Amino acid sequence: MFRGVDFYNVDELLSDEDRLVRQSVREFLEKEVVPLVADAWHEEKPLNFHELGKKFGELGMLGTFLPEEYGCPGMTYTTFGVVCQEVERVDSALRSFVAVTSGLVMYPIWRYGSEEQKGEYLPKLARGEIIGAFGLTEPNHGSDPGSMEATARRDGDEWVLNGTKTWISEADVADIAVVWARDVEDGKIKGFIVERGTKGFQQTAITKKASMRAGSVGELGLVNCRVPEENRLPEARGLGAPLSCLNQARFGISWGAIGAAMDCYETALNYTKERKQFGAPLASYQLVQEKLVNMLIEITKGQLLAWRLAKLMDEGKATTEQISMAKKNNVRVARYCARTARELLGANGISLDYSPIRHMANIESVYTYEGTDDIHTLILGRAITGYQAFRREL
Ligand code: TGC
Ligand code: FAD
């Protein structure tokens, strides 16, 4: 079993609960999920999150950081980070499912929902009984969700929703979706819970992906889709509401990406110790050692950044920009490690019998979603210079 990459004794910074949860998650994943992942990815047959989700729920992996109410686990952001690291070590699609459920579906309901909405949906989501999706991105508005075209029109006790959300994780299999649309009356962005089967609500899968093939992504169509006023998130007012949810999921990515990087590093280390060329193990050559050492250094820096961010999150002190830095840096680390590990495995590196090429393809999604690498650069650039460089007048 994987023993972890821990050159700087980061484990000592974790609590007993963090380590206990990690051990249970690791044992479950190694036994039940690892054997399925490469085939699921190869065949683009997404893992069954309706089945896996229930076990994830039992292990406290869904909404980990939410307080112990409405059936939520009541642990810390640090424990959530540890969970994300474990699942993404196996496959990024697993972390996507955990981060979307926790940060993009449970969090908005907990933070912006009514008592009835919390009582209705949070226990089921925490137990993995239902699956959720988060619809923000549109065909014409990805990095700039503030320009979204989806509309919400009040009609008596109902809202009529129109628009298209695309590239939505678990869109096709979700039982509920938290969907964002602009109120045609006051121009403000509002959040709605739309249930599967609602008239005018279409859920379709996107296929032929060359990344995240063990998970599902799709489109949500809203065609005169009517939802009752009770399904509007009453406390969500404006773009800040969906963006605050992104903070939670971006935090999960900052830990998760290091999990993928660790798996790549460990695979490359084991392989180069075994594989001989020119009569000696690859690991005995200086050029190979340099690559392994650089991976380990980047992983260790990323681990420390993620750990510190978790502590700031637990204290309620993390800023959006600190989250951006950790997301940006740690996804870059994963991208670098996946590519380097792939290289160190030679021709075997392009086979799905080894994990690096799968991580490498998955990480391209992670580099793009939850704010592209460029968008996080601009968020940080705005913070340190005071100039926003997202928009320009033409
Ligand atoms: P801007 O004027 O900066 O902000 C509008 C209002 O929102 C507030 N705000 C935030 N609040 C909480 N958390 C954040 N991260 C926030 N960022 C901004 C801000 O204070 C303001 O509030 P107020 O009260 O002053 O109105 O908005 P902008 O339109 O200029 O956009 C800024 C920008 C570009 C940074 C933002 O649009 C952005 O982050 N774009 C990236 C879009 C993105 O990340 N999409 C992700 C979709 S979900 C997804 O990818 C899931 S992947 C699946 C998985 O996670 O596994
Ligand atoms: P664009 O915004 O069109 O960007 C294209 C390129 O232009 C990028 O390189 C970008 O960095 C660059 N760019 C954009 N603006 C600027 C600028 N101002 N200055 C410089 N460069 C710029 N969305 C959801 O709402 N929910 C989900 O669950 C979800 N899941 C996803 C799952 C997967 C697997 C993927 C791949 C995407 C998912 N997304 C989801 C969508 C994701 O959030 C968007 O893809 C992302 O925000 C980028 O938007 P875009 O693809 O439209 O790219």
Side-chain angles (χ1 to χ4, degrees), residues 95-96 143 145 240 243 246-247 250 320 369-371 382 391:
R95 197 267 311 128
S96 254
S143 296
L243 294 183
L246 301 185
N247 289 345
R250 288 169 179 173
T320 294
Y369 68 35
E370 288 288 357
R382 176 173 65 180
R391 289 175 203 289

Side-chain angles (χ1 to χ4, degrees), residues 194-216:
V194 186
E195 295 193 353
R196 186 177 195 84
T198 305
K199 197 162 172 244
F201 184 46
Q202 299 155 353
Q203 301 177 254
T204 46
I206 294 174
T207 54
K208 297 189 188 158
K209 308 190 298 301
S211 171
M212 293 290 192
R213 289 169 60 88
S216 72

